């Protein structure tokens, strides 16, 4: 039982680390999306200034129309990049939540095995058969929970 408990503990730690890494990647992508949206806003401001410049007398209208078109094109690309980062954030957060759920299952299974070990030790000391069978039952429940963790349920 101790060996099984150690294996479950390892799996629990591994899935917890995986969840943390996924959450960290989501935060990085969220920051990158925010940076892209800031860049998008800067281009919008420049476009607005160029549009305002068209109203001024004695200016090179073609120059500012070209700039406006350039800013519109650049904004579309930046918008696509920002939306892609936002989509990646959602995917990473879902994956992190799934890994964290799996971690909880492994931790529950390990806890059940630890309880089973304690009950087995008490059963050995007291020589109570019912306690021995209870230990087996709790260990089986732990293995059932471990199976759920393994199946990502």
């Amino acid at each position: 039982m101790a060996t099984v408990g150690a294996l479950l503990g390892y799996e629990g730690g591994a899935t917890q680390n995986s969840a943390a890494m996924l959450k960290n990647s989501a935060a990085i992508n969220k920051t990158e999306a925010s940076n892209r949206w800031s860049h998008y806003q800067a281009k919008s401001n420049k476009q607005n200034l160029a549009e305002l410049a068209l109203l001024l007398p004695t200016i090179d209208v073609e120059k500012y129309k070209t700039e406006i078109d350039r800013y519109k094109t650049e904004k579309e690309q930046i918008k696509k990049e920002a939306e892609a980062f936002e989509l990646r954030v959602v995917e990473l957060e879902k994956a992190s939540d799934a890994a964290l759920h799996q971690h909880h299952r492994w931790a529950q299974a390990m806890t059940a095995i630890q309880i089973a070990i304690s009950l087995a030790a008490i059963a050995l000391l007291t020589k109570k058969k019912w306690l021995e069978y209870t230990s087996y039952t709790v260990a089986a429940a732990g293995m059932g929970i471990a199976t759920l963790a393994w199946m990502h349920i």
Side-chain angles (χ1 to χ4, degrees):
M1 280 193 250
T3 302
V4 170
L7 291 172
L8 298 178
Y10 169 79
E11 289 296 332
T15 54
Q16 183 179 25
N17 290 339
S18 177
M21 291 300 291
L22 288 165
K23 191 63 84 170
N24 187 49
S25 293
I28 290 168
N29 277 268
K30 190 175 277 190
T31 300
E32 197 56 47
S34 177
N35 289 345
R36 293 291 197 272
W37 285 120
S38 294
H39 191 207
Y40 179 89
Q41 186 63 41
K43 294 291 181 179
S44 292
N45 289 342
K46 289 179 180 182
Q47 179 184 340
N48 291 338
L49 288 173
E51 289 169 351
L52 182 62
L54 288 176
L55 301 175
L56 298 174
T58 66
I59 56 117
D60 183 1
V61 174
E62 284 308 310
K63 173 187 170 188
Y64 287 105
K65 283 186 177 181
T66 302
E67 282 189 21
I68 291 168
D69 290 339
R70 181 173 58 95
Y71 290 135
K72 283 181 182 178
T73 303
E74 289 173 354
K75 281 175 34 183
E76 282 305 311
Q77 180 60 34
I78 294 167
K79 181 180 178 183
K80 287 177 185 174
E81 291 171 1
E83 289 171 343
F85 277 110
E86 288 178 340
L87 209 84
R88 184 74 178 130
V89 167
V90 171
E91 292 168 0
L92 288 166
E93 296 237 344
K94 283 182 183 177
S96 175
D97 291 344
L100 193 58
H101 175 72
Q102 188 182 21
H103 160 70
H104 288 142
R105 286 284 191 222
W106 287 120
Q108 291 166 346
M110 185 178 69
T111 301
I113 294 297
Q114 289 172 337
I115 292 169
I117 291 168
S118 297
L119 290 173
I122 295 168
L124 281 172
L125 292 173
T126 62
K127 297 187 183 344
K128 304 280 185 182
K129 278 291 187 195
W130 67 271
L131 206 49
E132 181 182 344
Y133 295 132
T134 303
S135 172
Y136 296 151
T137 302
V138 173
M143 293 307 296
I145 297 169
T147 301
L148 294 175
W150 181 66
M151 294 172 60
H152 298 267
I153 296 175

